[in-house]
Amino acid sequence: MLSSPAIITAMRQKKFILPESEIPARWYNIMADMKQLPQPMLNPKTHEPVKAEDLYHLFCKACSDQELDTVNRWIDIPEAVREKYSYWRCTPLVRAYGLEEALGTPAHIYFKNESVSPIGSHKLNSALAQAYYCSQEGISNITTETGAGQWGAALSYAAKVFGLECAVYQVRISYEQKPYRKSMMQAFGAQVTPSPSMSTRAGKDILTACPHHQGSLGTAISEAVELATTTPNCRYTLGSVLNHVALHQTVIGLEAEKQMALAGEYPDIVIACFGGGSNFGGLAFPFLRHTLTEGTKTRYIAAEPASCPKLTKGEFRYDYGDESGYTPLIPMFTLGHDFQPANIHAGGLRYHGAGAIVSQLLKDSLIEAVDIRQLDSFKAGLLFARTEGIIPAPESCHAIAAAVGEALGCKERGEKKVILFNLSGHGLVDMSAYDQYLSGSMSNTGD
Amino acid sequence: MLSSPAIITAMRQKKFILPESEIPARWYNIMADMKQLPQPMLNPKTHEPVKAEDLYHLFCKACSDQELDTVNRWIDIPEAVREKYSYWRCTPLVRAYGLEEALGTPAHIYFKNESVSPIGSHKLNSALAQAYYCSQEGISNITTETGAGQWGAALSYAAKVFGLECAVYQVRISYEQKPYRKSMMQAFGAQVTPSPSMSTRAGKDILTACPHHQGSLGTAISEAVELATTTPNCRYTLGSVLNHVALHQTVIGLEAEKQMALAGEYPDIVIACFGGGSNFGGLAFPFLRHTLTEGTKTRYIAAEPASCPKLTKGEFRYDYGDESGYTPLIPMFTLGHDFQPANIHAGGLRYHGAGAIVSQLLKDSLIEAVDIRQLDSFKAGLLFARTEGIIPAPESCHAIAAAVGEALGCKERGEKKVILFNLSGHGLVDMSAYDQYLSGSMSNTGD
């Protein structure tokens, strides 16, 4: 009387799930397969290529070694890290039927759902690795920068897991826009300081030159690097840009590759949003290895904000990773290390440069980039929320907008392409951004 | 040089996962197995037992019929609902190794992780069902109340999925404490009004009698019921208390039962937090069926707030479900329908009464109840966050505190019990509560 027909028909499969035993045992190091390696990082004083030992005062040894490793294609994931991955991994690969139907596209759209991480984003993949290595090397304190707070929240939890003290410099505009991420970091026991702060020389220099500075990732990196290099037994950790961070993120693509096989498809187009490159690399590099080694034809699209367009409008040259010039010189597509990004809500994408590997791949036309305006990103993100149920992080909205653009292109041309994008995180702690979008008071530049 | 030993050892299993094909095809109706059925709901005017038809003006027909169904043990889940369940179900059953180790308990602690729902809580299980049935009956508008906003957010999304307009009355104190949940509802296209409001007679009466009324679930229900019953083609939906809501939530326990079998264990103790009873019933009823039909010895513990203690200190009698006395009379453990709960952060537990089924089960000593003070709930929640990585909803913190209490009892007595609790939701949108707890400014009563 109450119910639907008693015969339950087979549903179309929405999610492609792997058991814990399929959590990758090794990360993929794309440098072992690149025909054109990135140019070396340079010591900012001597302009000589950096050796791993030159980085040991800044990063833990394991990550310094990984940073320069161009030989080992596969790097074992420590069991302690893999065990912590099992708290939420493997993450689902999801077919976005709801979004496809709303767009009326013949394309098949899949997304890798990294938002199911307890912290809400992919950042934990590298945070756990970096905190673990530090703990193994007897380091007691770690520090970092964070924009929107996804990385800072992940590192705060990872530090707690491995018994480390953690100090985070959060970009001031995000600290104010997203107070809950600060609260998350504090709940995990971290100290959080809005950046620029008066607690470092770098912060003081910036604040005295520019009293109302809203902060940027480049500035916050300077502060964290200064703290790490002037504090005994303290190391710096970074949430993107560097090779070893992208390396740790390759669990995303390695899982996705197996899951696409479960779905019986292979992506024609792989898309991720782009801040420093680790989210993009994490999804794309495992697929790119087939392009590099077997010539597989796949398009790889990095979606960056139009207001911070290093890939589409930046210059390829050596530049610093931070505003104050503390870091090694990195060969990168850059807007200049003193570039002041607009106050968009996608705090994780407000960075002036691209990692060395991704920059080289773009230079060699192996990947593409597209720039997305803030309003277009939220339009796509809201459509995704209403059709797939998940409110995406402002950063992830850029990937969604790029995927929507490609799917609509398929519709126009009647093409049944397979599109895969990374849902790097959810936006439940970014709701003020959606408020602003819905109220019509959002601009493309955050002004 | 960089890596851990190359031989990957088998990890202990953290999560027990079911494929989509194992999403339950039917809900479990415990009334078909109860020896002592709940006394009937009464018409508030005639004091005659309510018939399903008497509810049709308030609820959709399907839910009204389910509400009074004491015969059918299994109710088919409509395929359209089950298909939407596949967006995130089955949810993981997780072994809380991190928590166990922190407590040093011999007990095995498992939790069902309903926080992975896109909305962040179990509420979507019933919201999708109710919205679907309304859409099938040609209803265009639905309305409801919400406390913390978990139910309101779920219903807003469900309404969007099935093409309905949705209006939500949110308890004022939660509307102010948790602004992001309001934003979530708005992102899904719902209209949100803080309650008590001046838009209904019930709201006006309360606000004129008590101008600074902070709101309660009972008040918000009155407003939503009034809107539903005075608006053409509009129906009321409820997020807990009623039998059909608990029915829809039994997917939690039905999955958990299979997953406990995968883990090779069976729970000695089943725990869930308690507002109106649907979260508790959702987990407990499928296990209780073995107690009712086979005499299986399991303890079932409802964890309620000490400041809203209907189960531990309430009276068993007929009472209204709402403050203004619009609803049928329900046989319930109650603090009185005009009880004003303290302003604790667990907005979803600020309700004066318990559902009829759970009340009967408590009366018959088939289940137990425990009251948890707010500070103890957050202490347990923070320990859980730091050991399991997931920041729990304030409501769920009550279940965690009860589980911790049982696990510590096991430690004292050297007992290796198996404890299962429901992590009904995450607390990422409740971070202001954690701020207050961490700053030492939280009290047990919210004052």
Coordinates of all heavy atoms in Angstrom, one line a residue, chain A residues 2-4 6 8-9 11-12 14-15 20 25 65 69 76-79 82-83 86-87 89 118 157 180 183-184 187-188 385-386 388-389 426 428-429 431 435, chain B residues 2 4 6 8-9 11-12 14-15 20 25 65-66 69 76-79 82-83 86-87 89 118 157 180 183-184 187-188 382 385-386 389 426 428-429 431 435:
Chain A
L2 N 2.0 1.2 0.7 CA 2.7 2.4 0.9 C 3.9 2.5 -0.1 O 4.4 3.6 -0.3 CB 3.4 2.4 2.2 CG 2.5 2.2 3.4 CD1 3.3 2.0 4.7 CD2 1.7 3.5 3.5
S3 N 4.2 1.4 -0.7 CA 5.5 1.4 -1.2 C 5.6 1.3 -2.7 O 4.6 1.1 -3.4 CB 6.2 0.2 -0.6 OG 5.4 -1.0 -0.9
S4 N 6.8 1.5 -3.2 CA 7.1 1.3 -4.6 C 7.0 -0.1 -5.0 O 6.9 -1.0 -4.1 CB 8.5 1.9 -4.9 OG 9.4 1.1 -4.2
A6 N 7.7 -3.9 -5.5 CA 8.6 -4.7 -4.7 C 9.8 -5.2 -5.4 O 10.8 -5.5 -4.7 CB 7.8 -5.9 -4.1
I8 N 13.1 -4.7 -6.9 CA 14.1 -3.7 -7.0 C 14.9 -3.9 -8.2 O 15.6 -4.9 -8.4 CB 15.0 -3.7 -5.7 CG1 14.1 -3.5 -4.5 CG2 16.1 -2.7 -5.8 CD1 13.5 -2.2 -4.4
T9 N 14.9 -2.9 -9.1 CA 15.7 -3.1 -10.3 C 17.1 -2.6 -10.0 O 17.4 -1.9 -9.1 CB 15.1 -2.1 -11.4 OG1 15.0 -0.8 -10.9 CG2 13.7 -2.6 -11.9
M11 N 20.2 -0.5 -10.0 CA 20.5 0.9 -10.3 C 21.7 1.1 -11.1 O 22.6 0.3 -11.0 CB 20.7 1.6 -8.9 CG 19.5 1.7 -8.0 SD 19.8 2.7 -6.6 CE 21.1 1.8 -5.8
R12 N 21.8 2.2 -11.8 CA 23.0 2.6 -12.5 C 24.0 2.9 -11.4 O 23.7 3.5 -10.3 CB 22.8 3.7 -13.4 CG 22.3 5.0 -12.7 CD 21.9 6.1 -13.7 NE 21.5 7.3 -13.0 CZ 21.0 8.4 -13.6 NH1 21.0 8.4 -14.9 NH2 20.7 9.4 -12.9
K14 N 26.6 4.8 -9.3 CA 26.9 6.2 -9.1 C 28.4 6.3 -8.6 O 29.1 7.2 -9.1 CB 26.0 6.7 -8.0 CG 26.2 8.1 -7.5 CD 25.8 9.1 -8.6 CE 26.1 10.6 -8.0 NZ 26.0 11.5 -9.1
K15 N 28.8 5.5 -7.7 CA 30.2 5.6 -7.2 C 31.0 4.4 -7.5 O 30.5 3.2 -7.5 CB 30.1 5.7 -5.6 CG 29.3 6.9 -5.1 CD 29.3 7.1 -3.6 CE 28.9 5.9 -2.8 NZ 27.5 5.4 -3.1
E20 N 40.2 -0.8 1.1 CA 41.4 -0.3 1.7 C 42.6 -0.9 1.2 O 43.7 -0.3 1.1 CB 41.3 -0.4 3.2 CG 40.4 0.6 3.9 CD 40.3 0.4 5.4 OE1 41.1 -0.4 5.9 OE2 39.3 1.0 5.9
A25 N 50.2 1.8 -2.5 CA 51.4 1.5 -1.7 C 52.6 2.4 -2.0 O 53.5 2.5 -1.2 CB 51.8 0.0 -1.8
D65 N 64.9 15.1 -0.1 CA 65.4 14.1 -1.0 C 64.4 13.8 -2.1 O 64.7 13.7 -3.3 CB 65.7 12.8 -0.3 CG 66.9 12.9 0.6 OD1 67.7 13.9 0.5 OD2 67.1 12.1 1.6
D69 N 64.4 14.1 -6.5 CA 64.6 12.7 -7.0 C 64.0 12.7 -8.4 O 62.8 12.8 -8.6 CB 63.8 11.8 -6.1 CG 64.0 10.3 -6.5 OD1 64.5 10.1 -7.6 OD2 63.7 9.4 -5.7
D76 N 57.9 4.4 -2.1 CA 57.0 3.6 -1.1 C 56.3 4.6 -0.1 O 57.0 5.5 0.4 CB 57.8 2.6 -0.3 CG 58.2 1.4 -1.2 OD1 57.6 1.2 -2.2 OD2 59.2 0.8 -0.8
I77 N 55.1 4.4 0.1 CA 54.4 5.2 1.1 C 54.6 4.5 2.5 O 54.3 3.3 2.6 CB 52.9 5.3 0.8 CG1 52.6 5.9 -0.6 CG2 52.1 6.1 1.9 CD1 51.2 5.9 -1.0
P78 N 55.1 5.3 3.5 CA 55.4 4.6 4.8 C 54.1 4.0 5.3 O 53.0 4.6 5.2 CB 55.8 5.8 5.6 CG 56.4 6.8 4.7 CD 55.5 6.7 3.4
E79 N 54.2 2.9 5.9 CA 53.0 2.2 6.4 C 52.2 3.0 7.4 O 51.0 3.0 7.4 CB 53.4 0.9 7.1 CG 53.4 -0.3 6.1 CD 52.1 -0.5 5.4 OE1 51.2 -1.0 5.9 OE2 52.1 0.0 4.2
R82 N 50.1 5.3 5.3 CA 49.1 4.5 4.6 C 48.0 4.1 5.6 O 46.8 4.1 5.3 CB 49.8 3.3 4.0 CG 49.1 2.8 2.8 CD 49.9 1.9 2.0 NE 49.1 1.1 1.1 CZ 48.7 -0.2 1.4 NH1 49.1 -0.8 2.5 NH2 47.9 -0.8 0.5
E83 N 48.4 3.8 6.8 CA 47.4 3.4 7.8 C 46.5 4.6 8.1 O 45.3 4.5 8.2 CB 48.1 3.0 9.1 CG 47.3 2.2 10.1 CD 46.6 3.0 11.2 OE1 47.1 4.1 11.5 OE2 45.5 2.5 11.7
S86 N 43.9 5.2 5.6 CA 42.8 4.3 5.6 C 41.6 4.9 6.4 O 40.5 4.4 6.4 CB 43.2 3.0 6.2 OG 43.4 3.1 7.6
Y87 N 41.9 6.0 7.1 CA 40.8 6.6 7.9 C 39.7 7.2 6.9 O 38.6 7.3 7.3 CB 41.3 7.8 8.8 CG 41.9 7.2 10.1 CD1 42.7 6.2 10.1 CD2 41.5 7.8 11.3 CE1 43.2 5.7 11.3 CE2 42.0 7.3 12.5 CZ 42.9 6.3 12.5 OH 43.3 5.8 13.7
R89 N 40.5 7.0 3.0 CA 40.8 6.5 1.6 C 40.4 5.0 1.5 O 40.4 4.4 2.6 CB 42.3 6.7 1.2 CG 42.8 8.1 1.4 CD 44.0 8.4 0.5 NE 43.5 8.5 -0.9 CZ 43.1 9.6 -1.5 NH1 43.1 10.7 -0.8 NH2 42.7 9.6 -2.7
P118 N 38.4 13.7 6.3 CA 37.8 14.3 7.5 C 38.0 15.8 7.6 O 37.3 16.5 8.2 CB 38.5 13.6 8.6 CG 39.7 12.9 8.0 CD 39.3 12.6 6.6
Y157 N 45.9 18.7 12.0 CA 45.5 17.4 12.3 C 46.7 16.4 12.2 O 46.9 15.6 13.1 CB 44.3 16.9 11.5 CG 44.0 15.4 11.6 CD1 43.7 14.9 12.8 CD2 44.1 14.6 10.5 CE1 43.4 13.5 13.0 CE2 43.9 13.2 10.6 CZ 43.5 12.7 11.9 OH 43.3 11.4 12.0
Y180 N 36.0 29.6 10.5 CA 35.8 28.3 11.0 C 37.1 27.4 10.7 O 37.3 26.5 11.4 CB 34.6 27.6 10.4 CG 33.3 28.0 11.0 CD1 33.2 29.1 11.9 CD2 32.1 27.4 10.7 CE1 32.0 29.5 12.4 CE2 30.9 27.7 11.2 CZ 30.8 28.8 12.1 OH 29.6 29.2 12.6
S183 N 39.3 27.9 13.5 CA 38.8 27.2 14.6 C 39.1 25.7 14.5 O 39.4 25.0 15.4 CB 37.2 27.3 14.7 OG 36.9 28.7 14.7
M184 N 39.0 25.2 13.3 CA 39.4 23.8 13.0 C 40.9 23.6 13.4 O 41.2 22.6 14.1 CB 39.2 23.4 11.6 CG 37.7 23.2 11.2 SD 37.6 23.1 9.4 CE 38.3 21.5 9.1
A187 N 41.2 23.6 17.0 CA 40.6 22.4 17.6 C 41.6 21.2 17.6 O 41.6 20.4 18.5 CB 39.3 22.0 16.9
F188 N 42.5 21.2 16.6 CA 43.5 20.2 16.5 C 44.8 20.6 17.2 O 45.8 19.9 17.2 CB 43.8 19.9 15.0 CG 42.7 19.2 14.3 CD1 42.1 19.7 13.2 CD2 42.2 18.0 14.8 CE1 41.1 19.0 12.5 CE2 41.2 17.3 14.2 CZ 40.6 17.8 13.0
A385 N 26.3 21.9 -6.7 CA 25.7 21.7 -5.4 C 24.2 21.2 -5.6 O 23.8 20.3 -4.9 CB 25.7 23.0 -4.6
R386 N 23.5 21.9 -6.5 CA 22.1 21.6 -6.6 C 21.8 20.3 -7.3 O 20.7 19.7 -7.2 CB 21.4 22.8 -7.2 CG 21.4 24.0 -6.3 CD 20.7 25.2 -6.9 NE 20.6 26.3 -5.9 CZ 20.0 27.4 -6.2 NH1 19.5 27.7 -7.4 NH2 19.9 28.3 -5.2
E388 N 24.4 17.6 -7.6 CA 25.1 16.5 -7.0 C 25.1 16.5 -5.5 O 25.6 15.6 -4.8 CB 26.6 16.6 -7.5 CG 26.8 16.3 -9.0 CD 26.4 14.9 -9.4 OE1 26.6 14.0 -8.5 OE2 25.8 14.7 -10.4
G389 N 24.5 17.6 -4.9 CA 24.3 17.6 -3.4 C 25.5 18.1 -2.6 O 25.3 18.5 -1.5
H426 N 35.2 20.3 -0.1 CA 33.8 20.8 0.0 C 33.9 22.3 0.5 O 35.0 22.7 1.1 CB 32.9 20.0 0.8 CG 33.3 19.8 2.3 ND1 33.3 20.9 3.1 CD2 33.6 18.8 3.0 CE1 33.7 20.5 4.3 NE2 33.9 19.2 4.3
L428 N 31.8 23.7 2.9 CA 30.9 24.0 4.0 C 31.4 25.0 4.9 O 30.6 25.7 5.7 CB 30.6 22.7 4.8 CG 29.9 21.6 4.0 CD1 29.7 20.3 4.9 CD2 28.6 22.0 3.4
V429 N 32.7 25.3 4.9 CA 33.3 26.3 5.7 C 33.5 27.6 4.9 O 34.1 28.6 5.4 CB 34.6 25.8 6.4 CG1 35.2 26.7 7.4 CG2 34.3 24.4 7.1
M431 N 30.8 29.1 3.4 CA 29.4 29.5 3.0 C 29.3 31.0 2.9 O 28.4 31.5 2.1 CB 28.4 28.9 4.0 CG 28.3 27.4 4.0 SD 28.0 26.7 2.3 CE 26.5 27.6 1.8
D435 N 26.9 33.0 0.2 CA 26.0 34.1 0.6 C 26.2 35.3 -0.3 O 25.3 35.9 -0.8 CB 26.3 34.6 2.0 CG 25.7 33.6 3.1 OD1 25.0 32.7 2.7 OD2 26.1 33.8 4.3
Chain B
L2 N 64.7 7.0 0.2 CA 63.6 7.9 0.7 C 62.6 7.1 1.4 O 61.7 7.8 2.1 CB 62.9 8.5 -0.5 CG 63.8 9.3 -1.5 CD1 63.1 9.6 -2.7 CD2 64.3 10.5 -0.7
S4 N 60.1 3.9 3.0 CA 59.9 2.9 4.1 C 60.2 1.5 3.4 O 60.4 1.4 2.2 CB 58.4 2.9 4.5 OG 57.6 2.5 3.4
A6 N 60.1 -1.8 1.5 CA 59.4 -2.0 0.3 C 58.2 -3.0 0.5 O 57.3 -3.0 -0.3 CB 60.3 -2.4 -0.8
I8 N 55.0 -4.2 1.8 CA 53.8 -3.6 2.4 C 53.1 -4.7 3.2 O 52.7 -5.6 2.6 CB 52.9 -3.0 1.3 CG1 53.6 -1.9 0.5 CG2 51.6 -2.4 1.9 CD1 54.1 -0.7 1.3
T9 N 53.0 -4.5 4.4 CA 52.3 -5.5 5.3 C 50.8 -5.2 5.2 O 50.4 -4.1 4.9 CB 52.8 -5.4 6.7 OG1 52.7 -4.0 7.1 CG2 54.3 -5.8 6.8
M11 N 47.4 -4.1 6.4 CA 47.0 -3.2 7.4 C 45.8 -3.7 8.1 O 45.0 -4.5 7.5 CB 46.6 -1.8 6.8 CG 47.7 -1.0 6.3 SD 47.2 0.6 5.8 CE 46.0 0.3 4.5
R12 N 45.6 -3.4 9.4 CA 44.3 -3.7 10.0 C 43.2 -2.9 9.3 O 43.4 -1.8 8.9 CB 44.4 -3.4 11.5 CG 44.7 -1.9 11.8 CD 45.0 -1.7 13.3 NE 45.2 -0.3 13.5 CZ 45.5 0.2 14.7 NH1 45.6 -0.6 15.8 NH2 45.6 1.5 14.9
K14 N 40.3 -0.6 8.8 CA 39.7 0.6 9.5 C 38.2 0.7 9.2 O 37.5 1.0 10.0 CB 40.5 1.8 9.0 CG 40.0 3.1 9.6 CD 40.3 3.3 11.0 CE 39.9 4.7 11.5 NZ 39.9 4.7 13.0
K15 N 37.9 0.6 7.9 CA 36.5 0.8 7.5 C 35.9 -0.4 6.9 O 36.6 -1.2 6.2 CB 36.5 1.9 6.4 CG 37.1 3.2 6.8 CD 37.0 4.3 5.7 CE 37.5 4.0 4.4 NZ 39.0 3.7 4.3
E20 N 27.2 -0.3 -3.5 CA 25.9 0.3 -3.7 C 24.8 -0.7 -3.8 O 23.6 -0.4 -3.4 CB 25.9 1.2 -5.0 CG 26.6 2.5 -4.8 CD 26.7 3.3 -6.0 OE1 26.0 3.0 -7.0 OE2 27.5 4.2 -6.0
A25 N 17.1 -2.2 0.3 CA 16.0 -2.1 -0.6 C 14.7 -1.8 0.2 O 13.7 -1.4 -0.4 CB 15.8 -3.3 -1.4
D65 N 0.4 7.2 6.1 CA 0.2 5.8 6.2 C 1.3 5.0 6.9 O 1.0 4.2 7.8 CB 0.0 5.2 4.8 CG -1.3 5.7 4.1 OD1 -2.2 6.2 4.8 OD2 -1.3 5.6 2.8
Q66 N 2.5 5.4 6.6 CA 3.7 4.7 7.3 C 3.6 5.0 8.8 O 4.0 4.2 9.6 CB 5.0 5.3 6.7 CG 5.3 4.8 5.3 CD 6.5 5.4 4.6 OE1 7.1 6.3 5.2 NE2 6.8 5.0 3.4
D69 N 1.4 2.4 10.4 CA 1.5 1.1 10.0 C 2.2 0.2 11.0 O 3.4 0.3 11.3 CB 2.4 1.0 8.7 CG 2.4 -0.4 8.1 OD1 2.1 -1.4 8.8 OD2 2.9 -0.5 6.9
D76 N 9.2 -1.1 1.2 CA 10.1 -0.9 0.1 C 10.5 0.5 0.0 O 9.7 1.4 0.1 CB 9.4 -1.3 -1.2 CG 9.2 -2.8 -1.4 OD1 9.9 -3.6 -0.6 OD2 8.3 -3.2 -2.2
I77 N 11.8 0.7 -0.3 CA 12.3 2.1 -0.5 C 12.1 2.4 -2.0 O 12.5 1.6 -2.8 CB 13.8 2.2 -0.1 CG1 14.0 1.8 1.3 CG2 14.3 3.6 -0.4 CD1 15.4 1.7 1.8
P78 N 11.4 3.5 -2.3 CA 11.2 3.8 -3.7 C 12.5 3.9 -4.5 O 13.5 4.4 -3.9 CB 10.5 5.2 -3.7 CG 9.9 5.3 -2.3 CD 10.8 4.5 -1.4
E79 N 12.5 3.4 -5.7 CA 13.8 3.4 -6.4 C 14.4 4.8 -6.6 O 15.6 4.9 -6.6 CB 13.6 2.7 -7.8 CG 13.8 1.3 -7.8 CD 15.1 0.8 -7.3 OE1 16.1 0.9 -8.0 OE2 15.2 0.4 -6.1
R82 N 16.2 5.5 -3.4 CA 17.4 4.6 -3.3 C 18.5 5.1 -4.3 O 19.6 5.1 -4.0 CB 16.9 3.2 -3.7 CG 17.8 2.1 -3.1 CD 17.1 0.8 -3.0 NE 18.1 -0.2 -2.8 CZ 18.7 -0.9 -3.8 NH1 18.3 -0.7 -5.1 NH2 19.6 -1.9 -3.5
E83 N 18.0 5.6 -5.4 CA 19.0 6.1 -6.4 C 19.7 7.3 -5.8 O 21.0 7.5 -5.9 CB 18.3 6.4 -7.7 CG 19.3 6.6 -8.9 CD 19.7 8.0 -9.2 OE1 19.0 8.9 -8.8 OE2 20.8 8.1 -9.8
S86 N 22.3 6.5 -3.3 CA 23.6 6.1 -3.9 C 24.6 7.2 -4.1 O 25.8 6.9 -4.3 CB 23.4 5.3 -5.2 OG 23.1 6.3 -6.2
Y87 N 24.1 8.4 -3.9 CA 25.1 9.6 -4.0 C 26.1 9.5 -2.9 O 27.2 10.1 -3.1 CB 24.3 10.9 -4.1 CG 23.8 11.3 -5.4 CD1 23.1 10.4 -6.2 CD2 24.0 12.5 -6.0 CE1 22.6 10.7 -7.4 CE2 23.5 12.9 -7.2 CZ 22.8 11.9 -8.0 OH 22.4 12.3 -9.2
R89 N 25.6 6.8 0.0 CA 25.5 5.5 0.7 C 26.0 4.4 -0.2 O 26.1 4.5 -1.4 CB 24.0 5.2 1.0 CG 23.3 6.2 1.8 CD 22.1 5.7 2.6 NE 22.6 4.9 3.7 CZ 22.9 5.5 4.9 NH1 22.7 6.8 5.1 NH2 23.3 4.7 5.9
P118 N 26.4 14.3 1.9 CA 26.8 15.6 1.3 C 26.4 16.7 2.2 O 27.0 17.8 2.2 CB 26.2 15.6 -0.1 CG 25.2 14.5 -0.1 CD 25.7 13.5 0.9
Y157 N 17.9 20.5 0.3 CA 18.5 19.8 -0.9 C 17.5 18.8 -1.5 O 17.3 18.7 -2.7 CB 19.8 19.1 -0.4 CG 20.3 18.1 -1.5 CD1 20.7 18.5 -2.8 CD2 20.4 16.7 -1.2 CE1 21.1 17.6 -3.7 CE2 20.9 15.8 -2.1 CZ 21.2 16.3 -3.4 OH 21.7 15.4 -4.3
Y180 N 26.2 29.4 8.9 CA 26.5 28.7 7.6 C 25.4 27.7 7.2 O 25.2 27.4 6.1 CB 27.8 28.0 7.7 CG 29.0 28.9 7.6 CD1 28.9 30.3 7.6 CD2 30.3 28.4 7.5 CE1 30.0 31.1 7.6 CE2 31.4 29.2 7.4 CZ 31.3 30.6 7.4 OH 32.4 31.4 7.3
S183 N 23.0 29.5 5.3 CA 23.6 29.7 4.0 C 23.4 28.4 3.1 O 23.2 28.5 1.9 CB 25.0 30.1 4.1 OG 25.2 31.2 4.9
M184 N 23.6 27.3 3.7 CA 23.5 26.0 3.0 C 22.1 25.9 2.5 O 21.8 25.5 1.3 CB 23.8 24.8 3.9 CG 25.3 24.7 4.2 SD 25.7 23.5 5.5 CE 25.2 21.9 4.7
A187 N 21.6 28.2 -0.3 CA 22.3 27.7 -1.5 C 21.5 26.7 -2.3 O 21.5 26.6 -3.5 CB 23.7 27.1 -1.1
F188 N 20.7 25.9 -1.5 CA 19.8 24.9 -2.2 C 18.5 25.5 -2.6 O 17.6 24.8 -3.0 CB 19.6 23.7 -1.3 CG 20.9 22.9 -1.1 CD1 21.4 22.6 0.1 CD2 21.5 22.4 -2.2 CE1 22.6 21.8 0.3 CE2 22.7 21.6 -2.1 CZ 23.2 21.3 -0.9
L382 N 36.1 16.5 21.3 CA 37.4 17.0 20.9 C 38.4 15.8 21.0 O 39.3 15.7 20.1 CB 37.9 18.1 21.9 CG 39.0 18.9 21.4 CD1 38.6 19.7 20.2 CD2 39.4 19.9 22.5
A385 N 37.8 14.1 17.8 CA 38.4 14.8 16.6 C 39.9 14.6 16.5 O 40.5 14.4 15.4 CB 38.1 16.3 16.8
R386 N 40.6 14.6 17.7 CA 42.0 14.5 17.7 C 42.5 13.1 17.4 O 43.7 13.0 17.1 CB 42.6 15.1 19.0 CG 42.4 16.6 19.0 CD 42.9 17.2 20.3 NE 42.8 18.7 20.2 CZ 43.2 19.6 21.2 NH1 43.7 19.1 22.3 NH2 43.1 20.9 21.0
G389 N 40.1 12.2 13.7 CA 40.3 13.2 12.6 C 39.0 13.9 12.2 O 39.0 14.9 11.5
H426 N 28.9 15.6 11.1 CA 30.2 16.3 11.5 C 29.8 17.7 11.9 O 28.7 18.2 11.8 CB 31.2 16.4 10.3 CG 30.8 17.1 9.1 ND1 30.5 18.5 9.1 CD2 30.5 16.7 7.8 CE1 30.2 18.9 7.9 NE2 30.1 17.8 7.1
L428 N 31.6 20.7 11.2 CA 32.4 21.7 10.5 C 31.7 23.0 10.5 O 32.3 24.1 10.3 CB 32.8 21.3 9.1 CG 33.7 20.0 9.1 CD1 34.1 19.7 7.6 CD2 35.0 20.3 9.9
V429 N 30.3 23.0 10.6 CA 29.6 24.2 10.6 C 29.2 24.6 12.0 O 28.4 25.6 12.2 CB 28.3 24.0 9.7 CG1 27.5 25.3 9.5 CG2 28.8 23.5 8.3
M431 N 31.7 25.2 14.3 CA 33.0 25.5 14.9 C 33.0 26.5 16.0 O 33.8 26.6 16.9 CB 34.0 25.9 13.8 CG 34.4 24.7 12.9 SD 34.9 23.2 13.7 CE 36.2 23.7 14.8
D435 N 35.1 26.8 19.4 CA 35.8 28.0 19.9 C 35.5 28.3 21.3 O 36.3 28.5 22.2 CB 35.4 29.2 19.0 CG 36.0 29.2 17.7 OD1 37.0 28.4 17.4 OD2 35.6 30.0 16.9

